[in-house]
Amino acid sequence: MPATVPFEQIDRIVWNQHHDPFEVLGPHAIEENGKKVWAVRAYLPNADAVSVVLPEARAEYAMKSEHHPHFFECTIDTPELANYQLRVKEGEHERFIYDPYAFRSPKLTEFDQHLFSEGNHHRIYEKLGAHLTEVGGITGVYFAVWAPNARNVSVLGDFNYWDGRKHQMRKSQNGIWELFIPGLSVGTSYKYEVKNQDGHPYEKSDPYGFQQEVRPKTASIVTDLDTYTWHDSAWIDKRRHTDPLTQPISVYECHIGSWLHAATDEPAVLPNGEIEPPVQVSELNPGARFLTYRELADRLIPYVKDLGFTHIEMLPIAEHPFDGSWGYQVTGYFAPTSRYGKPEDFMYFVDQCHANGIGVLVDWVPGHFPKDGHGLAFFDGTHLYEHADSRKGEHKEWGTLVFNYGRNEVRNFLVSNALFWFDKYHIDGIRVDAVASMLYLDYCREPGEWLTNQYGGRENIEAADFLRQANHVIFSYFPGALSIAEESTSWPMVSWPTYVGGLGFNLKWNMGWMHDMLDYYHMDPWFRQFHQNNVTFSMWYNHSENFMLALSHDEVVHGKAHIIGKMPGDEWQKFANVRCLFTFMFAHPGKKTIFMGMEFGQWQEWNVWGDLEWRLLQFEPHQKLKLFFKDLNNLYRSETALYSQDFAEDGFEWIDCSDNRHSVVAFVRREKDGDEFVVTVCNFTPQPHSHYRVGVPEPGFYTELFNSDAREYGGSNMGNLGGKWTDEWWFHNSAYSIDLCLPPLGVLILKLDRAKTTAKSQEF
């Protein structure tokens, strides 16, 4: 039979050069001898014979190859042609398949494409990527990927022997390539073969893929995220109606891959009783494997709950190829890393956190991405996700690329990704990494290595606009969530709402407080009298932002020593300094974050390939420090004055901040909408003071709620026998004061006992 399509069109299919293979392949209505018939065409490399099978009509039509041995066609005289099959013979093997090019209706509507092109398709992850779909009663997988500058894009996988000729995709007007492949199911591994305009192929993981193979493999995996049954509706509803800024937030920052390992010969047991093969950690720790998400739910959650933390913050759990990046060089933005299990396993972990009253925060990395060949870099043969000019598009110090925030589709990718983790995984907040690197065009760049903005300044206006959009979208969909900026500069209004010109975060890490305090505690206590400003300076700017006080993973790596190793003095003084620091931290305005290992006094720096030094808990000082953190968290959560007005001016008042000779400060924290308050007195030297007078707001009995020097925490047990009555003695601008015993390197937290005070007054 003569070809029913021009030979040049066939050649474009054979040589994989056609932007729309549907124009050639699949069923086409044509006229033959003045009559409407169907021409069916298929390009099947490796096929020896092909025929069209009409199951309902019980008819079969042999296809012929005239122009090319693997390009088959035939004509069928029938009014309708739906859900036909192809009988494909390859050597001794024969199979029946549905023709992908018979399913012509695109899943993306014009409205979807319009929203994506303007950067406002908030749930574009429901359209792009790989989705289990039913079309015309036939189940398969719909693939869609944005690659506007590619010459051709194909789907690769085991199902087609990773041959890019077999499943060529169709390009839409805005550069999205799509194809429905019938017969595929959840668990299918795939990639995209992306060819640039010169025909050079790149094998890419799916930017919107929901799961990836365990590294070092890099293929994406078809996944259905809607099969898990959640049990946290009450938690989500409560969060929606709660202002987190008035609640206690005490965060346990954790790298789940190095919190604890299991032995490589210890199998992981799945919920159905099956045994999961162990995952090797790395060549640097060959005898250990990662705990799975479900094992972490059984071990990490009870540990954090017992210590009294309100949230777990995980270093990035999005897929990343290199363990040593700690997760901060992401290649799979929509895929929880397969190191620890499957997506539904991570859902289970989050669900169990909520069941135990613990919120979940994840580190989010929209500032840069690695150059790995299977990732976003040079995705369609051009600088698609990154800037073409390295003066804007590359962090040479990190060896990574910078997102082009001015491109709508790139901004849409990132905004929808932030929303995705709240939507599909029910997380409670994100900590946005390296915000300063996004906001400044000259960040870590020498003169001549960066470009100014359109006004000649160093500010990255496009990045700031992106952050505002991301935060606006998050809080529009998920009120009560947290968006925390790791921002180390004086950029104004980082944690202010977008409607007043802020970046829209609701919390910002207080990097200034962190540096001041670590510098202060590092010095010998005798010299602290000359550096009282380190302790007091944070309150000068405290109300400019909603601050979170964070002592994070960055402070215990790269030769900086762990927290206890930073402290001066003998071992007793080191532990006392640690207790003093963290008690002051929890009494100071601002939400709290500490990194794993600090809670029991780890000595060694954090090692991403090892475990925490759990063996230290056999020793009494470390046991007592862990108890200290448990009691400190419980106190913090029970006293509303310590958290309800972190960001209000009437929530904090200095009693005295000028006694640098003794390195002592005292202050009041007040609750919101009430008359309760607590008094905190800090002695930052090892010299105790047996009679130290402090002015207080009201007369009565002040109970000693917490003493960081208590015997049960490993201290010297100096204190005030449970509390002190006030004297009618004017001091610190107050009519009443108390005579305290200040323990060495100790912090006291006291509270007026109104019941006891009232009872005594009635005696008289």
Side-chain angles (χ1 to χ4, degrees):
M1 59 170 280
T4 59
V5 66
F7 289 160
E8 58 268 22
Q9 289 282 68
I10 297 174
D11 284 340
R12 291 177 66 191
I13 294 294
V14 169
W15 294 104
N16 199 353
Q17 295 178 346
H18 209 300
H19 73 284
D20 186 2
F22 284 87
E23 289 184 359
V24 180
L25 302 177
H28 294 264
I30 65 171
E31 279 197 11
E32 188 175 76
N33 299 324
K35 186 178 182 181
K36 177 185 175 183
V37 297
W38 290 97
V40 180
R41 311 184 194 108
Y43 176 53
L44 296 165
N46 305 324
D48 298 315
V50 183
S51 59
V52 177
V53 178
L54 304 182
E56 294 182 3
R58 297 184 178 180
E60 185 169 346
Y61 300 85
M63 303 181 76
K64 296 183 178 181
S65 55
E66 297 287 345
H67 181 70
H68 187 278
H70 297 138
F71 187 89
F72 300 87
E73 57 184 329
C74 69
T75 57
I76 302 174
D77 185 0
T78 181
E80 298 294 334
L81 190 65
N83 292 349
Y84 65 84
Q85 292 179 295
L86 299 177
R87 182 202 295 265
V88 183
K89 185 177 181 181
E90 297 170 335
E92 299 299 322
H93 302 282
E94 189 174 84
R95 58 194 176 100
F96 288 84
I97 63 171
Y98 286 101
D99 185 359
Y101 300 100
F103 301 86
R104 312 183 72 84
S105 299
K107 184 178 179 181
L108 268 85
T109 65
E110 290 185 5
F111 188 53
D112 287 325
Q113 297 187 45
H114 169 76
L115 289 176
F116 180 60
S117 294
E118 70 175 18
N120 286 318
H121 200 310
H122 300 156
R123 287 192 166 97
I124 191 62
Y125 51 83
E126 295 181 345
K127 299 299 179 73
L128 296 185
H131 299 273
L132 193 66
T133 307
E134 184 177 296
V135 179
I138 306 301
T139 301
V141 175
Y142 173 82
F143 297 91
V145 62
W146 179 59
N149 303 304
R151 191 190 74 182
N152 302 93
V153 181
S154 302
V155 184
L156 305 176
D158 290 334
F159 52 89
N160 62 16
Y161 305 103
W162 302 90
D163 188 338
R165 299 173 297 169
K166 294 184 176 181
H167 289 99
Q168 302 174 36
M169 304 178 78
R170 169 175 56 190
K171 183 181 182 181
S172 66
Q173 290 184 349
N174 68 345
I176 294 176
W177 299 77
E178 59 180 357
L179 182 66
F180 172 74
I181 304 181
L184 299 188
S185 59
V186 168
T188 300
S189 298
Y190 70 98
K191 285 186 179 181
Y192 295 116
E193 181 186 80
V194 182
K195 289 186 176 180
N196 67 8
Q197 290 299 322
D198 296 325
H200 182 79
Y202 303 85
E203 289 190 6
K204 294 289 188 178
S205 302
D206 189 347
Y208 290 86
F210 294 154
Q211 185 181 355
Q212 284 191 11
E213 294 177 315
V214 179
R215 55 95 179 93
K217 295 182 178 180
T218 58
S220 301
I221 300 175
V222 176
T223 305
D224 186 355
L225 297 183
D226 297 324
T227 59
Y228 182 81
T229 302
W230 289 90
H231 303 89
D232 63 349
S233 57
W235 171 277
I236 297 297
D237 185 65
K238 180 181 179 182
R239 185 187 73 191
R240 184 177 184 84
H241 295 92
T242 301
D243 178 6
L245 299 185
T246 64
Q247 302 302 308
I249 297 178
S250 173
V251 180
Y252 186 76
E253 186 190 33
C254 181
H255 178 263
I256 59 178
S258 58
W259 183 74
L260 180 67
H261 293 93
T264 51
D265 57 358
E266 179 184 345
V269 181
L270 300 178
N272 56 13
E274 295 179 358
I275 301 298
E276 184 177 51
V279 177
Q280 195 78 10
V281 174
S282 74
E283 67 277 8
L284 297 180
N285 196 351
R289 68 163 177 86
F290 293 123
L291 296 179
T292 66
Y293 291 118
R294 291 180 181 268
E295 289 174 320
L296 287 161
D298 293 337
R299 302 188 193 188
L300 176 60
I301 293 174
Y303 180 81
V304 172
K305 182 178 181 180
D306 179 66
L307 284 170
F309 290 95
T310 64
H311 292 74
I312 295 173
E313 177 189 329
M314 290 176 286
L315 270 62
I317 53 94
E319 194 58 79
H320 52 282
F322 178 46
D323 296 3
S325 75
W326 310 341
Y328 287 100
Q329 295 193 8
V330 179
T331 53
Y333 274 80
F334 289 84
T337 178
S338 52
R339 287 168 174 80
Y340 318 121
K342 298 178 180 178
E344 57 266 29
D345 298 328
F346 181 55
M347 293 177 181
Y348 174 82
F349 176 84
V350 175
D351 210 5
Q352 288 300 302
C353 282
H354 291 169
N356 285 275
I358 297 172
V360 178
L361 311 177
V362 299
D363 276 15
W364 186 49
V365 193
H368 61 119
F369 58 93
K371 300 177 181 179
D372 295 68
H374 67 281
L376 299 177
F378 213 62
F379 188 80
D380 63 356
T382 68
H383 298 282
L384 185 64
Y385 285 88
E386 69 273 24
H387 291 277
D389 193 323
S390 64
R391 290 174 294 177
K392 290 187 71 175
E394 185 175 359
H395 279 307
K396 293 186 178 180
E397 183 179 15
W398 298 340
T400 56
L401 301 174
V402 181
F403 283 103
N404 183 351
Y405 306 107
R407 178 168 280 166
N408 290 346
E409 297 88 349
V410 174
R411 194 169 63 252
N412 202 148
F413 171 81
L414 291 169
V415 170
S416 67
N417 181 246
L419 191 70
F420 166 82
W421 292 99
F422 290 93
D423 180 20
K424 296 299 184 181
Y425 289 99
H426 292 205
I427 68 165
D428 301 284
I430 56 175
R431 191 218 65 148
V432 183
D433 177 63
V435 172
S437 75
M438 301 167 64
L439 291 175
Y440 294 97
L441 296 165
D442 62 345
Y443 185 87
C444 287
R445 292 183 173 93
E446 298 297 327
E449 295 181 351
W450 59 281
L451 299 176
T452 65
N453 60 34
Q454 60 265 45
Y455 304 108
R458 58 195 284 257
E459 298 80 13
N460 191 332
I461 297 171
E462 296 164 343
D465 288 342
F466 152 68
L467 291 170
R468 291 188 185 97
Q469 181 186 2
N471 285 319
H472 175 75
V473 169
I474 289 170
F475 294 127
S476 295
Y477 285 96
F478 298 101
L482 291 172
S483 181
I484 308 163
E486 185 211 9
E487 206 286 313
S488 55
T489 75
S490 57
W491 185 284
M493 301 192 296
V494 171
S495 58
W496 290 37
T498 57
Y499 58 79
V500 297
L503 293 183
F505 294 94
N506 52 5
L507 286 171
K508 171 184 173 176
W509 273 14
N510 193 335
M511 309 295 279
W513 177 89
M514 178 271 294
H515 285 295
D516 286 345
M517 295 313 302
L518 292 184
D519 288 346
Y520 185 77
Y521 273 89
H522 182 72
M523 67 181 69
D524 185 283
W526 187 85
F527 292 101
R528 291 176 183 174
Q529 61 184 305
F530 307 112
H531 298 273
Q532 187 90 340
N533 187 57
N534 283 47
V535 176
T536 62
F537 182 62
S538 59
M539 289 311 302
W540 282 94
Y541 59 85
N542 184 70
H543 303 298
S544 64
E545 300 280 1
N546 300 331
F547 283 116
M548 171 172 276
L549 309 182
L551 294 171
S552 75
H553 64 279
D554 280 327
E555 314 319 317
V556 295
V557 290
H558 302 321
K560 299 177 184 176
H562 222 290
I563 287 294
I564 195 167
K566 300 176 189 290
M567 301 301 169
D570 58 21
E571 184 173 301
W572 188 92
Q573 289 194 34
K574 289 180 183 293
F575 276 93
N577 269 301
V578 169
R579 296 191 302 270
C580 182
L581 167 62
F582 282 104
T583 309
F584 175 65
M585 175 185 184
F586 275 68
H588 189 287
K591 308 309 180 184
K592 329 296 178 188
T593 293
I594 75 161
F595 186 58
M596 63 181 192
M598 294 179 183
E599 75 278 10
F600 62 80
Q602 172 153 326
W603 288 97
Q604 293 181 358
E605 286 192 342
W606 170 50
N607 175 11
V608 71
W609 285 284
D611 286 353
L612 297 184
E613 291 186 281
W614 296 110
R615 61 179 178 79
L616 293 177
L617 285 173
Q618 66 183 301
F619 303 113
E620 189 174 271
H622 298 275
Q623 296 172 3
K624 290 184 174 182
L625 184 60
K626 182 182 173 187
L627 175 63
F628 159 82
F629 268 98
K630 179 178 179 178
D631 289 352
L632 183 60
N633 266 319
N634 289 336
L635 172 73
Y636 170 65
R637 296 175 68 165
S638 65
E639 293 298 327
T640 57
L642 291 176
Y643 61 79
S644 61
Q645 290 206 102
D646 279 321
F647 315 115
E649 291 190 11
D650 55 355
F652 175 91
E653 178 185 354
W654 285 116
I655 294 174
D656 180 30
C657 62
S658 60
D659 187 7
N660 63 295
R661 188 168 66 90
H662 296 100
S663 295
V664 172
V665 297
F667 55 87
V668 175
R669 295 294 308 281
R670 297 184 184 277
E671 73 173 1
K672 184 178 182 180
D673 302 326
D675 56 2
E676 296 297 322
F677 61 89
V678 296
V679 172
T680 300
V681 186
C682 310
N683 176 17
F684 296 114
T685 73
Q687 174 64 50
H689 303 291
S690 57
H691 293 284
Y692 192 94
R693 186 162 294 277
V694 176
V696 291
E698 297 181 29
F701 183 80
Y702 282 77
T703 300
E704 190 176 87
L705 294 179
F706 194 83
N707 182 345
S708 70
D709 189 54
R711 178 184 291 112
E712 54 264 39
Y713 306 143
S716 63
N717 209 41
M718 295 187 68
N720 298 278
L721 301 176
K724 281 291 187 73
W725 286 96
T726 57
D727 301 312
E728 196 169 340
W729 184 332
W730 185 276
F731 210 76
H732 290 148
N733 205 34
S734 296
Y736 304 94
S737 58
I738 49 179
D739 182 17
L740 294 173
C741 173
L742 300 188
L745 294 171
V747 178
L748 304 176
I749 299 179
L750 306 106
K751 183 179 181 180
L752 177 64
D753 187 332
R754 296 189 182 278
K756 195 170 186 176
T757 301
T758 301
K760 184 174 182 180
S761 66
Q762 291 175 348
E763 294 177 4
F764 300 96

